[in-house]
Coordinates of all heavy atoms in Angstrom, one line a residue:
G1 N 26.2 20.3 15.5 CA 26.3 19.4 14.4 C 25.2 19.6 13.4 O 24.4 20.5 13.5
F2 N 25.3 18.8 12.4 CA 24.3 18.9 11.3 C 23.0 18.2 11.7 O 23.1 17.2 12.4 CB 24.9 18.2 10.0 CG 26.0 18.9 9.4 CD1 27.3 18.5 9.5 CD2 25.8 20.1 8.7 CE1 28.4 19.1 9.0 CE2 26.8 20.8 8.1 CZ 28.1 20.3 8.3
P3 N 21.9 18.7 11.3 CA 20.6 18.0 11.6 C 20.5 16.6 10.8 O 21.2 16.5 9.8 CB 19.5 18.9 11.1 CG 20.2 19.8 10.1 CD 21.7 19.9 10.5
T4 N 19.7 15.7 11.3 CA 19.4 14.5 10.7 C 18.0 14.5 10.2 O 17.1 14.9 10.9 CB 19.6 13.3 11.6 OG1 20.9 13.3 12.1 CG2 19.3 12.0 11.0
F5 N 17.8 14.1 8.9 CA 16.4 14.1 8.4 C 15.9 12.7 8.2 O 16.7 11.8 7.9 CB 16.4 14.8 7.0 CG 16.6 16.3 7.1 CD1 17.9 16.8 7.1 CD2 15.6 17.1 7.3 CE1 18.1 18.2 7.2 CE2 15.7 18.5 7.4 CZ 17.0 19.0 7.3
Y6 N 14.7 12.4 8.5 CA 14.1 11.1 8.4 C 12.9 11.2 7.4 O 12.0 12.1 7.6 CB 13.6 10.6 9.8 CG 14.7 10.4 10.7 CD1 15.1 11.4 11.6 CD2 15.3 9.2 10.8 CE1 16.1 11.2 12.5 CE2 16.4 9.0 11.7 CZ 16.8 10.0 12.5 OH 17.8 9.8 13.4
L7 N 12.8 10.3 6.5 CA 11.7 10.2 5.5 C 11.0 9.0 5.8 O 11.5 7.9 5.8 CB 12.3 10.2 4.1 CG 11.3 10.0 3.0 CD1 10.3 11.1 2.8 CD2 12.1 9.8 1.7
G8 N 9.7 9.1 5.9 CA 8.8 7.9 6.1 C 7.6 7.9 5.2 O 7.1 9.0 4.8
S9 N 7.2 6.8 4.8 CA 6.0 6.7 3.9 C 5.3 5.4 4.1 O 5.9 4.4 4.6 CB 6.3 6.9 2.5 OG 7.1 5.8 2.0
D10 N 4.0 5.4 3.8 CA 3.2 4.1 3.9 C 2.1 4.3 3.0 O 1.6 5.3 2.6 CB 2.7 3.9 5.3 CG 2.4 2.4 5.6 OD1 2.7 1.6 4.7 OD2 1.9 2.1 6.6
T11 N 1.6 3.1 2.6 CA 0.5 3.0 1.6 C -0.6 2.1 2.1 O -0.3 1.0 2.7 CB 1.1 2.5 0.2 OG1 2.0 3.4 -0.2 CG2 0.0 2.4 -0.8
V12 N -1.8 2.4 1.8 CA -3.0 1.5 2.0 C -3.8 1.5 0.8 O -3.8 2.5 0.0 CB -3.8 1.9 3.3 CG1 -3.0 1.8 4.5 CG2 -4.4 3.3 3.1
V13 N -4.6 0.5 0.6 CA -5.5 0.3 -0.5 C -6.9 0.4 0.1 O -7.2 -0.1 1.1 CB -5.3 -1.0 -1.2 CG1 -6.4 -1.2 -2.3 CG2 -3.9 -1.0 -1.9
E14 N -7.8 1.1 -0.6 CA -9.2 1.3 -0.2 C -10.1 0.8 -1.3 O -10.0 1.1 -2.5 CB -9.5 2.7 0.1 CG -10.9 3.0 0.4 CD -11.3 4.5 0.2 OE1 -10.5 5.3 -0.2 OE2 -12.5 4.7 0.3
I15 N -11.1 -0.1 -0.9 CA -12.1 -0.5 -1.8 C -13.4 -0.7 -1.0 O -13.3 -1.2 0.1 CB -11.7 -1.8 -2.6 CG1 -12.8 -2.1 -3.6 CG2 -11.5 -3.0 -1.6 CD1 -12.4 -3.2 -4.7
D16 N -14.5 -0.2 -1.5 CA -15.8 -0.3 -0.8 C -15.7 0.3 0.6 O -16.2 -0.3 1.6 CB -16.3 -1.7 -0.7 CG -16.5 -2.3 -2.1 OD1 -16.9 -1.6 -3.0 OD2 -16.4 -3.6 -2.2
E17 N -14.9 1.4 0.7 CA -14.8 2.1 2.0 C -14.1 1.2 3.1 O -14.2 1.5 4.3 CB -16.1 2.6 2.6 CG -16.7 3.7 1.6 CD -18.0 4.3 2.1 OE1 -18.3 4.1 3.3 OE2 -18.6 5.0 1.4
K18 N -13.4 0.2 2.6 CA -12.6 -0.7 3.5 C -11.1 -0.5 3.2 O -10.7 -0.5 2.0 CB -13.0 -2.2 3.3 CG -12.3 -3.2 4.1 CD -12.8 -4.6 3.9 CE -12.0 -5.5 4.8 NZ -12.3 -6.9 4.6
I19 N -10.3 -0.4 4.2 CA -8.9 -0.3 4.1 C -8.2 -1.7 4.0 O -8.5 -2.5 4.9 CB -8.3 0.5 5.2 CG1 -8.8 1.9 5.3 CG2 -6.7 0.5 5.2 CD1 -8.5 2.8 4.1
L20 N -7.4 -1.9 3.0 CA -6.7 -3.1 2.9 C -5.2 -2.9 3.1 O -4.6 -2.1 2.4 CB -6.8 -3.7 1.4 CG -8.3 -3.9 0.9 CD1 -8.2 -4.5 -0.5 CD2 -9.0 -4.8 1.9
E21 N -4.7 -3.4 4.2 CA -3.3 -3.3 4.5 C -2.6 -4.5 4.0 O -3.0 -5.1 3.1 CB -3.1 -3.1 6.0 CG -3.8 -1.8 6.5 CD -3.6 -1.5 8.0 OE1 -2.8 -2.2 8.6 OE2 -4.3 -0.6 8.5
K22 N -1.4 -4.9 4.6 CA -0.7 -6.1 4.1 C -1.5 -7.3 4.6 O -2.0 -7.3 5.7 CB 0.7 -6.1 4.8 CG 1.5 -5.0 4.2 CD 2.9 -4.9 4.9 CE 3.7 -3.8 4.5 NZ 4.9 -3.6 5.2
P23 N -1.6 -8.3 3.8 CA -2.4 -9.5 4.1 C -1.6 -10.3 5.3 O -0.4 -10.3 5.3 CB -2.4 -10.3 2.9 CG -1.2 -9.9 2.1 CD -1.0 -8.4 2.4
K24 N -2.4 -10.9 6.1 CA -1.9 -11.7 7.2 C -1.2 -13.0 6.7 O -0.3 -13.5 7.3 CB -3.0 -12.1 8.2 CG -3.5 -10.9 9.0 CD -4.6 -11.4 9.9 CE -5.7 -12.0 9.2 NZ -7.1 -11.6 9.5
D25 N -1.8 -13.5 5.6 CA -1.3 -14.8 5.1 C -1.8 -15.0 3.6 O -2.5 -14.1 3.1 CB -1.9 -16.0 5.9 CG -3.4 -15.9 6.1 OD1 -4.1 -15.6 5.1 OD2 -3.9 -16.3 7.2
P26 N -1.3 -16.0 2.9 CA -1.7 -16.2 1.5 C -3.2 -16.2 1.3 O -3.7 -15.7 0.3 CB -1.1 -17.5 1.1 CG 0.1 -17.6 2.0 CD -0.3 -17.0 3.3
A27 N -4.0 -16.8 2.2 CA -5.4 -16.9 2.0 C -6.0 -15.5 2.0 O -6.9 -15.2 1.2 CB -6.0 -17.8 3.1
E28 N -5.6 -14.6 2.9 CA -6.1 -13.3 2.9 C -5.7 -12.5 1.6 O -6.5 -11.7 1.1 CB -5.7 -12.5 4.1 CG -6.4 -11.2 4.2 CD -6.1 -10.4 5.5 OE1 -4.9 -10.4 6.0 OE2 -7.0 -9.8 6.1
A29 N -4.5 -12.8 1.1 CA -4.0 -12.1 -0.1 C -5.0 -12.5 -1.3 O -5.3 -11.7 -2.1 CB -2.6 -12.5 -0.4
K30 N -5.3 -13.8 -1.3 CA -6.2 -14.2 -2.4 C -7.6 -13.6 -2.3 O -8.2 -13.2 -3.3 CB -6.4 -15.7 -2.3 CG -5.1 -16.5 -2.7 CD -5.3 -18.0 -2.6 CE -4.0 -18.7 -2.9 NZ -4.1 -20.2 -2.8
I31 N -8.1 -13.4 -1.1 CA -9.4 -12.7 -0.9 C -9.3 -11.3 -1.4 O -10.2 -10.8 -2.1 CB -9.8 -12.8 0.6 CG1 -10.2 -14.2 0.9 CG2 -11.0 -11.9 0.9 CD1 -10.3 -14.5 2.4
M32 N -8.2 -10.6 -1.0 CA -8.1 -9.2 -1.4 C -8.0 -9.0 -2.9 O -8.7 -8.2 -3.5 CB -6.8 -8.6 -0.8 CG -6.9 -8.3 0.7 SD -5.3 -7.6 1.2 CE -5.5 -7.5 3.0
L33 N -7.2 -9.9 -3.6 CA -7.1 -9.8 -5.0 C -8.4 -10.1 -5.7 O -8.7 -9.4 -6.7 CB -5.9 -10.7 -5.5 CG -4.5 -10.2 -5.0 CD1 -3.5 -11.4 -5.2 CD2 -4.1 -9.0 -5.8
A34 N -9.1 -11.1 -5.2 CA -10.4 -11.4 -5.8 C -11.4 -10.3 -5.7 O -12.2 -10.0 -6.6 CB -10.9 -12.7 -5.2
M35 N -11.3 -9.6 -4.5 CA -12.2 -8.5 -4.3 C -12.0 -7.3 -5.3 O -12.9 -6.6 -5.7 CB -11.9 -7.9 -2.8 CG -12.8 -6.8 -2.4 SD -12.4 -6.1 -0.8 CE -12.3 -7.6 0.2
M36 N -10.7 -7.2 -5.7 CA -10.4 -6.1 -6.6 C -10.5 -6.4 -8.1 O -10.4 -5.6 -9.0 CB -9.0 -5.5 -6.3 CG -8.9 -4.9 -4.9 SD -7.3 -4.2 -4.6 CE -6.4 -5.7 -4.2
S37 N -10.7 -7.7 -8.4 CA -10.7 -8.2 -9.7 C -11.8 -7.5 -10.5 O -13.0 -7.4 -10.1 CB -11.0 -9.7 -9.8 OG -11.2 -10.2 -11.1
N38 N -11.4 -6.9 -11.7 CA -12.4 -6.2 -12.6 C -13.1 -5.0 -11.9 O -14.2 -4.7 -12.3 CB -13.4 -7.2 -13.1 CG -14.0 -6.7 -14.5 OD1 -13.3 -6.1 -15.3 ND2 -15.3 -7.1 -14.7
R39 N -12.4 -4.4 -11.0 CA -12.9 -3.3 -10.3 C -11.9 -2.2 -10.1 O -10.7 -2.4 -10.2 CB -13.4 -3.7 -8.9 CG -14.5 -4.7 -9.0 CD -15.2 -5.0 -7.7 NE -15.8 -3.8 -7.1 CZ -15.9 -3.7 -5.8 NH1 -15.6 -4.6 -5.0 NH2 -16.4 -2.5 -5.3
Q40 N -12.4 -1.0 -9.7 CA -11.5 0.1 -9.4 C -11.4 0.2 -7.9 O -12.3 -0.1 -7.1 CB -12.1 1.4 -10.0 CG -11.2 2.6 -9.8 CD -11.8 3.9 -10.3 OE1 -12.9 4.3 -9.8 NE2 -11.2 4.5 -11.3
H41 N -10.2 0.6 -7.5 CA -9.9 0.9 -6.1 C -9.0 2.1 -6.0 O -8.5 2.6 -7.0 CB -9.4 -0.3 -5.4 CG -8.1 -0.8 -6.0 ND1 -8.0 -1.6 -7.1 CD2 -6.8 -0.6 -5.6 CE1 -6.7 -1.9 -7.4 NE2 -6.0 -1.2 -6.5
H42 N -8.7 2.5 -4.7 CA -7.9 3.7 -4.5 C -6.6 3.3 -3.7 O -6.8 2.5 -2.7 CB -8.6 4.8 -3.8 CG -9.9 5.2 -4.6 ND1 -9.8 6.0 -5.7 CD2 -11.2 4.9 -4.4 CE1 -11.0 6.1 -6.1 NE2 -11.9 5.5 -5.3
V43 N -5.5 3.8 -4.1 CA -4.2 3.6 -3.4 C -3.8 4.9 -2.7 O -3.6 5.9 -3.4 CB -3.1 3.1 -4.3 CG1 -1.8 2.9 -3.6 CG2 -3.6 1.8 -5.0
H44 N -3.8 5.0 -1.4 CA -3.5 6.2 -0.7 C -2.1 6.1 -0.1 O -1.8 5.0 0.6 CB -4.4 6.4 0.5 CG -5.9 6.4 0.1 ND1 -6.5 7.5 -0.5 CD2 -6.9 5.5 0.3 CE1 -7.8 7.2 -0.7 NE2 -8.0 6.0 -0.2
T45 N -1.2 7.1 -0.3 CA 0.1 7.1 0.2 C 0.4 8.3 1.0 O 0.0 9.4 0.5 CB 1.2 7.0 -1.0 OG1 0.9 5.8 -1.7 CG2 2.6 7.0 -0.4
G46 N 0.9 8.2 2.2 CA 1.3 9.3 3.0 C 2.8 9.4 3.1 O 3.5 8.3 3.2
V47 N 3.4 10.6 3.1 CA 4.8 10.8 3.2 C 5.0 11.9 4.3 O 4.3 12.9 4.3 CB 5.4 11.2 1.9 CG1 6.9 11.5 2.0 CG2 5.1 10.2 0.8
A48 N 6.1 11.7 5.1 CA 6.4 12.7 6.1 C 8.0 12.8 6.2 O 8.7 11.8 6.1 CB 5.9 12.4 7.5
I49 N 8.4 14.0 6.4 CA 9.9 14.3 6.6 C 10.0 15.0 7.9 O 9.4 16.0 8.2 CB 10.5 15.2 5.5 CG1 10.3 14.6 4.1 CG2 11.9 15.5 5.7 CD1 10.6 15.5 2.9
Y50 N 10.8 14.4 8.8 CA 11.1 14.9 10.1 C 12.6 15.3 10.2 O 13.4 14.7 9.5 CB 10.8 13.9 11.2 CG 9.3 13.7 11.5 CD1 8.6 12.8 10.7 CD2 8.7 14.5 12.4 CE1 7.3 12.6 11.0 CE2 7.3 14.3 12.7 CZ 6.6 13.4 11.9 OH 5.3 13.3 12.2
K51 N 12.8 16.3 11.0 CA 14.2 16.8 11.3 C 14.5 16.6 12.7 O 13.7 17.0 13.6 CB 14.4 18.2 10.9 CG 15.8 18.8 11.1 CD 15.9 20.2 10.6 CE 15.3 21.2 11.6 NZ 15.6 22.6 11.2
L52 N 15.7 16.0 13.0 CA 16.2 15.9 14.4 C 17.4 16.9 14.5 O 18.4 16.7 13.8 CB 16.6 14.5 14.7 CG 17.3 14.3 16.0 CD1 16.4 14.6 17.2 CD2 17.8 12.8 16.1
S53 N 17.3 17.9 15.3 CA 18.4 18.8 15.5 C 18.4 19.3 16.9 O 17.4 19.7 17.5 CB 18.1 20.0 14.6 OG 19.1 21.0 14.7
E54 N 19.6 19.2 17.5 CA 19.8 19.5 18.9 C 18.8 18.9 19.8 O 18.3 19.5 20.8 CB 19.8 21.1 19.0 CG 20.9 21.7 18.2 CD 20.8 23.3 18.2 OE1 20.0 23.8 19.0 OE2 21.6 23.9 17.5
G55 N 18.6 17.6 19.6 CA 17.7 16.8 20.5 C 16.2 17.1 20.3 O 15.4 16.5 21.0
K56 N 15.8 17.9 19.3 CA 14.4 18.2 19.1 C 14.0 17.7 17.7 O 14.7 17.8 16.7 CB 14.2 19.7 19.1 CG 14.4 20.3 20.5 CD 14.1 21.8 20.4 CE 14.4 22.4 21.8 NZ 14.2 23.9 21.8
I57 N 12.8 17.1 17.7 CA 12.3 16.5 16.4 C 11.2 17.5 16.0 O 10.3 17.9 16.7 CB 11.7 15.1 16.7 CG1 12.8 14.1 17.1 CG2 11.0 14.6 15.4 CD1 12.3 12.8 17.5
S58 N 11.2 17.8 14.7 CA 10.2 18.7 14.1 C 9.7 18.1 12.7 O 10.6 17.6 12.0 CB 10.6 20.1 14.0 OG 11.8 20.2 13.2
L59 N 8.5 18.3 12.5 CA 7.9 17.9 11.2 C 8.3 19.0 10.1 O 8.0 20.2 10.3 CB 6.4 17.8 11.2 CG 5.7 17.4 9.9 CD1 6.1 16.0 9.4 CD2 4.2 17.5 10.1
V60 N 9.0 18.6 9.1 CA 9.4 19.5 8.0 C 8.3 19.6 7.0 O 7.9 20.7 6.6 CB 10.7 19.0 7.4 CG1 11.1 19.9 6.2 CG2 11.8 19.0 8.4
A61 N 7.8 18.5 6.5 CA 6.7 18.5 5.5 C 6.0 17.1 5.5 O 6.6 16.1 5.9 CB 7.3 18.7 4.1
S62 N 4.8 17.1 5.1 CA 4.0 15.9 4.9 C 3.0 16.1 3.9 O 2.5 17.2 3.6 CB 3.4 15.5 6.3 OG 2.4 16.4 6.6
F63 N 2.6 15.0 3.2 CA 1.5 15.1 2.2 C 1.0 13.7 2.0 O 1.6 12.7 2.4 CB 2.0 15.7 0.9 CG 3.0 14.8 0.2 CD1 2.6 13.9 -0.8 CD2 4.4 15.0 0.4 CE1 3.6 13.1 -1.4 CE2 5.3 14.2 -0.3 CZ 4.9 13.3 -1.2
T64 N -0.2 13.6 1.4 CA -0.8 12.4 0.9 C -1.2 12.5 -0.5 O -1.3 13.6 -1.0 CB -2.1 12.0 1.8 OG1 -3.0 13.1 1.6 CG2 -1.8 11.9 3.2
D65 N -1.2 11.4 -1.2 CA -1.7 11.4 -2.6 C -2.5 10.1 -2.8 O -2.3 9.1 -2.1 CB -0.5 11.4 -3.5 CG -0.9 11.8 -4.9 OD1 -2.0 12.3 -5.1 OD2 -0.1 11.7 -5.8
T66 N -3.4 10.2 -3.7 CA -4.3 9.1 -4.0 C -4.3 8.8 -5.5 O -4.4 9.7 -6.3 CB -5.7 9.4 -3.5 OG1 -5.7 9.6 -2.1 CG2 -6.7 8.2 -3.9
A67 N -4.2 7.5 -5.8 CA -4.3 7.0 -7.2 C -5.4 6.1 -7.3 O -5.7 5.3 -6.5 CB -3.0 6.3 -7.6
S68 N -6.2 6.3 -8.4 CA -7.3 5.3 -8.7 C -6.7 4.3 -9.7 O -6.1 4.6 -10.7 CB -8.4 6.0 -9.4 OG -9.0 6.9 -8.5
V69 N -7.0 3.0 -9.3 CA -6.4 1.9 -10.1 C -7.6 1.0 -10.6 O -8.4 0.6 -9.7 CB -5.4 1.1 -9.3 CG1 -4.9 -0.1 -10.1 CG2 -4.3 2.0 -8.8
Q70 N -7.6 0.6 -11.8 CA -8.6 -0.3 -12.3 C -7.9 -1.6 -12.6 O -7.0 -1.7 -13.4 CB -9.2 0.2 -13.6 CG -10.1 -0.7 -14.3 CD -11.4 -0.9 -13.6 OE1 -12.0 0.0 -13.1 NE2 -11.9 -2.2 -13.5
F71 N -8.4 -2.7 -12.0 CA -7.9 -4.0 -12.3 C -8.7 -4.7 -13.4 O -9.9 -4.5 -13.5 CB -8.1 -5.0 -11.1 CG -6.9 -5.0 -10.1 CD1 -5.9 -4.1 -10.1 CD2 -6.8 -6.1 -9.2 CE1 -4.8 -4.1 -9.3 CE2 -5.7 -6.1 -8.3 CZ -4.7 -5.2 -8.4
A72 N -8.0 -5.5 -14.2 CA -8.6 -6.3 -15.2 C -9.2 -7.5 -14.4 O -9.0 -7.6 -13.2 CB -7.6 -6.8 -16.2
E73 N -10.0 -8.3 -15.1 CA -10.5 -9.5 -14.4 C -9.3 -10.5 -14.1 O -8.5 -10.7 -15.0 CB -11.6 -10.2 -15.3 CG -12.2 -11.3 -14.5 CD -13.5 -11.8 -15.3 OE1 -14.0 -11.2 -16.2 OE2 -13.9 -12.9 -14.9
L74 N -9.3 -11.0 -12.9 CA -8.2 -11.9 -12.5 C -8.8 -13.3 -12.3 O -9.7 -13.4 -11.5 CB -7.6 -11.4 -11.2 CG -7.0 -10.0 -11.2 CD1 -6.5 -9.6 -9.7 CD2 -5.8 -9.9 -12.1
S75 N -8.3 -14.2 -13.0 CA -8.8 -15.6 -12.8 C -8.3 -16.2 -11.5 O -7.3 -15.7 -11.0 CB -8.4 -16.5 -14.0 OG -7.0 -16.7 -13.9
K76 N -8.9 -17.2 -11.0 CA -8.5 -17.9 -9.8 C -7.0 -18.4 -10.0 O -6.2 -18.3 -9.1 CB -9.4 -19.0 -9.4 CG -9.0 -19.8 -8.1 CD -9.9 -20.9 -7.8 CE -9.5 -21.7 -6.6 NZ -8.1 -22.0 -6.4
D77 N -6.8 -19.0 -11.2 CA -5.4 -19.5 -11.5 C -4.4 -18.3 -11.5 O -3.3 -18.5 -11.0 CB -5.4 -20.2 -12.8 CG -6.1 -21.5 -12.8 OD1 -6.4 -22.0 -11.7 OD2 -6.4 -22.0 -13.9
T78 N -4.7 -17.2 -12.0 CA -3.8 -16.0 -12.0 C -3.5 -15.6 -10.6 O -2.4 -15.3 -10.2 CB -4.4 -14.9 -12.8 OG1 -4.5 -15.3 -14.2 CG2 -3.5 -13.7 -12.8
I79 N -4.6 -15.5 -9.8 CA -4.4 -15.1 -8.4 C -3.6 -16.1 -7.6 O -2.6 -15.8 -6.9 CB -5.8 -14.9 -7.7 CG1 -6.5 -13.7 -8.3 CG2 -5.6 -14.8 -6.2 CD1 -7.9 -13.5 -7.8
D80 N -3.9 -17.4 -7.8 CA -3.1 -18.4 -7.1 C -1.6 -18.4 -7.5 O -0.8 -18.5 -6.6 CB -3.7 -19.8 -7.4 CG -5.1 -20.1 -6.8 OD1 -5.5 -19.3 -5.9 OD2 -5.7 -21.1 -7.2
A81 N -1.4 -18.2 -8.8 CA 0.0 -18.2 -9.2 C 0.8 -17.0 -8.7 O 1.9 -17.1 -8.2 CB 0.1 -18.2 -10.8
Y82 N 0.1 -15.8 -8.7 CA 0.7 -14.6 -8.1 C 1.0 -14.7 -6.6 O 2.1 -14.4 -6.2 CB -0.1 -13.4 -8.4 CG 0.5 -12.1 -7.9 CD1 1.7 -11.7 -8.4 CD2 -0.2 -11.3 -7.0 CE1 2.3 -10.5 -7.9 CE2 0.3 -10.1 -6.6 CZ 1.5 -9.7 -7.0 OH 2.1 -8.5 -6.6
V83 N 0.0 -15.2 -5.9 CA 0.2 -15.4 -4.4 C 1.3 -16.4 -4.1 O 2.1 -16.2 -3.2 CB -1.1 -15.8 -3.8 CG1 -0.9 -16.1 -2.3 CG2 -2.1 -14.6 -3.9
A84 N 1.4 -17.4 -5.0 CA 2.5 -18.4 -4.8 C 3.9 -17.9 -4.9 O 4.8 -18.4 -4.3 CB 2.3 -19.6 -5.8
T85 N 4.1 -16.7 -5.5 CA 5.4 -16.1 -5.6 C 5.8 -15.5 -4.3 O 7.0 -15.2 -4.1 CB 5.4 -15.0 -6.7 OG1 4.6 -13.8 -6.2 CG2 4.9 -15.4 -8.0
G86 N 4.9 -15.3 -3.4 CA 5.2 -14.6 -2.1 C 5.2 -13.1 -2.2 O 5.2 -12.5 -1.1
E87 N 5.2 -12.6 -3.4 CA 5.2 -11.1 -3.5 C 4.1 -10.3 -2.8 O 4.3 -9.3 -2.2 CB 5.3 -10.7 -5.0 CG 5.5 -9.2 -5.2 CD 5.8 -8.9 -6.6 OE1 6.2 -9.7 -7.4 OE2 5.5 -7.7 -7.0
P88 N 2.9 -10.8 -2.8 CA 1.8 -10.1 -2.2 C 1.8 -9.9 -0.7 O 1.2 -9.1 -0.1 CB 0.5 -10.9 -2.6 CG 0.9 -11.7 -3.8 CD 2.4 -12.0 -3.5
L89 N 2.6 -10.8 -0.1 CA 2.5 -10.8 1.4 C 3.1 -9.6 2.1 O 2.8 -9.4 3.3 CB 3.2 -12.1 1.9 CG 2.5 -13.4 1.3 CD1 3.2 -14.6 1.9 CD2 1.0 -13.4 1.6
D90 N 3.9 -8.8 1.5 CA 4.4 -7.6 2.2 C 3.9 -6.3 1.5 O 4.6 -5.3 1.6 CB 5.9 -7.7 2.2 CG 6.6 -7.5 0.9 OD1 5.9 -7.7 -0.1 OD2 7.8 -7.2 0.9
K91 N 2.8 -6.4 0.9 CA 2.3 -5.2 0.2 C 0.8 -4.9 0.5 O 0.0 -5.8 0.6 CB 2.4 -5.5 -1.4 CG 3.8 -5.7 -1.8 CD 4.0 -5.6 -3.2 CE 5.4 -5.7 -3.7 NZ 6.3 -6.6 -2.9
A92 N 0.5 -3.6 0.8 CA -0.8 -3.2 1.0 C -1.7 -3.6 -0.1 O -1.4 -3.5 -1.3 CB -0.9 -1.7 1.2
G93 N -2.9 -4.3 0.2 CA -3.8 -4.7 -0.9 C -3.3 -5.9 -1.6 O -3.9 -6.4 -2.6
S94 N -2.2 -6.5 -1.2 CA -1.6 -7.7 -1.8 C -1.0 -7.6 -3.2 O -0.8 -8.6 -3.9 CB -2.7 -8.8 -1.8 OG -3.2 -9.1 -0.5
Y95 N -0.6 -6.4 -3.6 CA 0.1 -6.2 -4.9 C 0.9 -5.0 -4.9 O 0.7 -4.0 -4.1 CB -0.9 -6.2 -6.0 CG -1.6 -4.8 -6.2 CD1 -1.1 -3.9 -7.2 CD2 -2.7 -4.4 -5.5 CE1 -1.6 -2.7 -7.3 CE2 -3.3 -3.2 -5.7 CZ -2.7 -2.3 -6.6 OH -3.3 -1.1 -6.8
G96 N 1.9 -5.0 -5.7 CA 2.7 -3.8 -6.0 C 2.7 -3.5 -7.4 O 3.0 -4.3 -8.3
I97 N 2.3 -2.3 -7.7 CA 2.2 -1.9 -9.2 C 3.6 -1.9 -9.8 O 3.7 -2.1 -11.0 CB 1.6 -0.5 -9.3 CG1 1.1 -0.3 -10.7 CG2 2.5 0.6 -8.9 CD1 -0.2 -1.0 -11.0
Q98 N 4.7 -1.7 -9.0 CA 6.0 -1.6 -9.6 C 6.5 -3.0 -9.9 O 7.6 -3.1 -10.6 CB 7.0 -0.9 -8.6 CG 7.3 -1.7 -7.4 CD 6.3 -1.7 -6.2 OE1 5.2 -1.1 -6.4 NE2 6.6 -2.2 -5.1
G99 N 5.8 -4.1 -9.5 CA 6.3 -5.4 -9.9 C 7.2 -6.0 -8.9 O 7.6 -5.5 -7.9

């Protein structure tokens, strides 16, 4: 039969040599966003493609890429309003650049 391909990716945010994954709760999301306010941080993304063929799994390709992001100053009200939308809770570093 035909092989099956699997594509996986994940992203983490890094600031001050600390990795920010998805926040546990709204309070942690607010802390993360305040930490990045008016500062630069790095967004690291890893991607891998695997092939399943005849019962064997093999890595086809993988890569990582890093983007540097500069946040404007975020007021407490802005952070509170954004976190209240629920959007930050499933995103590394508590935000998604895509909106």
